[in-house]
Amino acid sequence: MHGVSQMLKEKKAIILVLMDIAIFYMLISPKILPTVLLSVRDACIITAIIAIVTLFMRYLSKVEMANLEKKLERQHSQLTAIINNSPFVVFLKSVDGKIILANEVLANLFSASREQLVGRNSYEFVSNPENCMEEDKHLLATKEIITCERYESLINGQGHWFRIVKVPVLDENDDISSIVVIFRIIDDVKELEERKNTFIATLTHDLKTPTIAQIRALDLLLGEAFGSLVDEQKEMLEQIKSSCKYMYDLIFTILDTYLYDNGLTKINAEKFDILALLNETTRSMSNLLRERNQKLIVNTNLTSNIVIADKVQIKRVIINLLANAVKHGFKNSDIEVFVTENDENIKMEVKNKSEYINKEQMKEIFEKYKHSQNAKSIKTSTGLGLYLSKQIIDAHNGQVYAHSDENKNCTFGFEIPKKLVSNPTNKQEIH
């Protein structure tokens, strides 16, 4: 190696000498530069200056290269230290999957040394590498950071739930030179989630069953199956039934919120008439409207009432927005619903007269469990109604919004595509 380096230096020196001789000859030769008439002395001086400048530039280049090498070595050392001291599994791999650096946590997982892992293909450590390959392919195409959770069976016979992060490393040309992979075992987290799922399922089942039984029993009484009733008795039973239905809706709101938060809800798209759904929903709230002496007015300019979305979930959003407007709007006031459209989307707005909601309160209006002492119109019994509505509309690739002004005009609305389009980045739609 030293001999090769010495030969290269000698060749470079010879080339420089030949270049200086060529320049000197060009300066004194009238055949090559007939318009330049220099003495031999001047030509020697110019050639010497060019040689000195050339040597100086080479020196600067060497210094810059040495500094760059030191910088790269320092960055490599820092990266190695971060990887080796991480409490999680961390490794650096090339774009074709070969491990460049690996920390002790990964080595311990496979009962090997870090040196034994370097150079091996990362895909060979999992039983089914297809998911890893697809993720890397997507990362190389988009340069996006990838985060995911999944169960992996390893070649050592173990199987774990992993939370995985993949980060592209870019070079000076903005091309991906390598990939940093970070993951940790989350078996304990998944076990806790499973317990929570079981608890929620059991709780809602235990609450729903007696509530449904109460509603059915009240229907029998109201249908006078056991004898005729006076108007006062019917009114009292209707109020009890309304309370039971309210409890039933709360149970489902809590359950649906939990399912959306954990990505366990699937959007079931179907074709339906959104105005028919709105009319069906408003009829179910007629008693509440009468109690507060409010009138509901529907305005629409739709050319077609048909949308493709999850009918059950959109109905829940409409119920939440209408209930919010009715319960927290002023008594003896009108509530207006506007249903409009453009080429691709359909919009529904619920407008009423209610207490002013300032900008700070408005920022938190669709967050979970957010209550404000002054913002009466955003209070709900669980603090989940508007939050759940946002999760549902987000899952439909739409948006929710709210406005309030000091004249006490309040608007809650949503906009969704007329035809639901699958969104692979939306966790509610991956099943």
Side-chain angles (χ1 to χ4, degrees):
M1 183 65 70
H2 178 72
V4 173
S5 177
Q6 185 64 31
M7 288 178 61
L8 289 174
K9 288 181 179 179
E10 291 175 356
K11 285 184 177 181
K12 289 180 179 179
I14 292 171
I15 291 171
L16 285 175
V17 171
L18 292 175
M19 286 178 58
D20 289 340
I21 293 172
I23 292 171
F24 176 77
Y25 180 73
M26 289 169 58
L27 291 173
I28 64 173
S29 174
K31 293 182 179 180
I32 299 175
L33 297 173
T35 58
V36 179
L37 299 175
L38 294 174
S39 65
V40 173
R41 179 176 172 276
D42 291 340
C44 287
I45 293 172
I46 293 173
T47 303
I49 292 173
I50 293 174
I52 291 170
V53 171
T54 303
L55 290 172
F56 183 69
M57 293 300 295
R58 287 189 63 198
Y59 170 76
L60 291 179
S61 178
K62 285 183 178 180
V63 171
E64 185 178 357
M65 185 63 69
N67 290 335
L68 181 60
E69 288 177 355
K70 288 181 181 179
K71 183 178 179 181
L72 291 174
E73 288 176 1
R74 186 165 58 251
Q75 289 177 343
H76 184 273
S77 177
Q78 291 171 345
L79 180 60
T80 303
I82 292 171
I83 290 176
N84 289 338
N85 291 285
S86 172
F88 310 127
V89 171
V90 183
F91 63 92
L92 180 70
K93 67 178 182 179
S94 62
V95 293
D96 58 357
K98 291 182 180 179
I99 296 175
I100 301 171
L101 289 172
N103 68 350
E104 199 67 35
V105 184
L106 179 64
N108 292 337
L109 185 62
F110 292 100
S111 302
S113 66
R114 296 200 301 268
E115 291 74 17
Q116 290 173 327
L117 296 176
V118 172
R120 295 180 64 179
N121 196 299
S122 61
Y123 302 134
E124 68 183 69
F125 292 98
V126 293
S127 300
N128 298 301
E130 289 78 12
N131 287 331
C132 297
M133 292 179 176
E134 283 298 318
E135 287 170 357
D136 291 352
K137 184 178 179 181
H138 178 76
L139 181 145
L140 292 172
T142 64
K143 300 179 183 179
E144 295 177 351
I145 295 174
I146 292 177
T147 59
C148 62
E149 293 180 4
R150 67 166 174 271
Y151 185 85
E152 284 285 5
S153 297
L154 308 179
I155 58 168
N156 59 8
Q158 299 180 25
H160 299 286
W161 274 96
F162 293 100
R163 182 169 291 142
I164 304 167
V165 180
K166 295 185 178 182
V167 183
V169 179
L170 306 180
D171 60 18
E172 63 275 7
N173 298 318
D174 204 32
D175 295 324
I176 298 177
S177 60
S178 55
I179 302 171
V180 175
V181 182
I182 307 169
F183 63 85
R184 69 183 181 95
I185 298 173
I186 55 169
D187 291 339
D188 53 342
V189 176
K190 286 298 179 180
E191 183 180 355
L192 179 60
E193 284 184 3
E194 185 61 31
R195 290 178 182 175
K196 287 166 62 180
N197 290 341
T198 302
F199 172 75
I200 292 293
T202 303
L203 176 65
T204 52
H205 177 270
D206 290 347
L207 290 173
K208 283 190 297 181
T209 302
T211 305
I212 293 172
Q214 291 168 10
I215 292 172
R216 289 176 178 171
L218 290 167
D219 284 335
L220 289 173
L221 290 172
L222 287 167
E224 300 184 331
F226 306 105
S228 59
L229 301 171
V230 298
D231 291 341
E232 290 79 4
Q233 291 172 323
K234 287 184 178 181
E235 183 178 352
M236 182 62 67
L237 290 174
E238 284 288 358
Q239 292 179 6
I240 296 172
K241 181 180 175 181
S242 177
S243 296
C244 288
K245 283 187 173 181
Y246 182 66
M247 177 63 70
Y248 186 76
D249 287 338
L250 287 183
I251 294 168
F252 269 95
T253 296
I254 294 170
L255 175 61
D256 281 355
T257 300
Y258 175 78
L259 294 176
Y260 268 97
D261 281 349
N262 290 275
L264 302 175
T265 299
K266 183 177 181 180
I267 298 299
N268 298 304
E270 61 177 300
K271 186 183 292 186
F272 64 92
D273 186 324
I274 193 166
L275 286 186
L277 181 65
L278 175 61
N279 291 333
E280 176 187 329
T281 306
T282 54
R283 282 197 299 271
S284 67
M285 304 188 70
S286 57
N287 288 336
L288 187 57
L289 287 163
R290 278 198 300 270
E291 286 177 13
R292 299 181 62 79
N293 196 27
Q294 295 169 323
K295 185 169 68 173
L296 194 145
I297 303 168
V298 176
N299 306 277
T300 178
N301 68 346
L302 298 183
T303 56
S304 172
N305 304 343
I306 303 302
V307 297
I308 298 177
D310 190 315
K311 182 178 179 181
V312 173
Q313 299 290 358
I314 294 300
K315 181 177 181 180
R316 182 170 293 279
V317 175
I318 296 173
I319 288 173
N320 286 335
L321 297 187
L322 288 178
N324 187 70
V326 173
K327 293 177 185 177
H328 306 297
F330 298 141
K331 291 183 178 180
N332 308 310
S333 64
D334 291 345
I335 297 171
E336 292 189 272
V337 180
F338 294 86
V339 187
T340 58
E341 66 179 344
N342 56 34
D343 291 341
E344 298 180 351
N345 298 331
I346 193 163
K347 180 190 293 186
M348 183 176 295
E349 294 182 333
V350 180
K351 298 185 177 184
N352 71 328
K353 289 284 188 178
S354 62
E355 294 295 334
Y356 171 61
I357 308 171
N358 65 44
K359 292 182 179 179
E360 290 302 316
Q361 295 162 346
M362 192 66 76
K363 290 179 182 178
E364 301 178 338
I365 205 162
F366 290 105
E367 293 184 20
K368 192 191 296 185
Y369 306 127
K370 288 291 183 180
H371 294 291
S372 173
Q373 214 169 21
N374 297 324
K376 296 178 181 179
S377 63
I378 68 171
K379 286 188 176 181
T380 57
S381 56
T382 61
L384 295 175
L386 295 177
Y387 170 80
L388 178 58
S389 297
K390 184 179 187 307
Q391 305 310 305
I392 294 172
I393 298 303
D394 285 348
H396 282 76
N397 306 321
Q399 59 177 346
V400 293
Y401 52 88
H403 307 291
S404 180
D405 62 39
E406 295 182 356
N407 294 323
K408 299 187 177 181
N409 297 307
C410 190
T411 301
F412 284 82
F414 67 86
E415 184 173 358
I416 58 172
K418 294 178 182 177
K419 181 178 180 182
L420 179 63
V421 179
S422 175
N423 182 359
T425 64
N426 192 313
K427 67 178 182 178
Q428 283 85 9
E429 294 179 21
I430 297 177
H431 298 276

